[in-house]
Amino acid sequence: MKGDRVEIVVDAGDTTRTYEVVASRAGRRVETAVRRGVVEVSEVTRTGVVVRTARFMASRVLALVEQPVPLREDPQSQGGLSTQGSTP
């Protein structure tokens, strides 16, 4: 979903660097994979086409934080009945 993001904190020798991959458009998502010592974070379309990929050596990754889009609460979907002011 648009707004999904992944933050990657990488050891850069004497300091740390933070990278961020964000689903920039509606219908896109961010996927993570760890394969053969490499961490891959990819932005993917609805049809599965990879738009961009960030790759990091797994031994240098300190943190990988996935932050999904918070769900919006729709007041219409919380049941249509109200109990205020009702008498038995």
Side-chain angles (χ1 to χ4, degrees), residues 5 9-10 13-14 25 28 34 36 44 46 54 56 59-60 63 67 71 76 80 88:
R5 63 188 186 131
V9 180
V10 180
D14 59 340
R25 292 188 157 179
R28 292 191 180 170
V34 180
R36 305 185 82 185
V44 182
R46 287 183 185 135
F56 305 93
S59 61
R60 294 288 186 180
Q67 299 177 346
L71 296 175
Q76 299 294 338

Side-chain angles (χ1 to χ4, degrees), residues 2 13 22-23 27 40 56 60 67 72 88:
K2 180 179 179 178
V22 180
E40 276 189 4
F56 305 93
R60 294 288 186 180
Q67 299 177 346
R72 292 183 290 166

Side-chain angles (χ1 to χ4, degrees), residues 5-73:
R5 63 188 186 131
V6 175
E7 291 182 45
I8 306 101
V9 180
V10 180
D11 178 20
D14 59 340
T15 185
T16 60
R17 292 191 180 199
T18 302
Y19 298 92
E20 191 173 73
V21 177
V22 180
S24 58
R25 292 188 157 179
R28 292 191 180 170
R29 63 188 185 276
V30 179
E31 293 182 350
T32 59
V34 180
R35 296 185 189 118
R36 305 185 82 185
V38 176
V39 176
E40 276 189 4
V41 182
S42 303
E43 182 180 356
V44 182
T45 63
R46 287 183 185 135
T47 59
V49 177
V50 176
V51 177
R52 59 185 168 147
T53 301
R55 290 187 180 107
F56 305 93
M57 291 174 40
S59 61
R60 294 288 186 180
V61 175
L62 301 174
L64 183 74
V65 182
E66 296 181 0
Q67 299 177 346
V69 176
L71 296 175
R72 292 183 290 166
E73 292 200 22

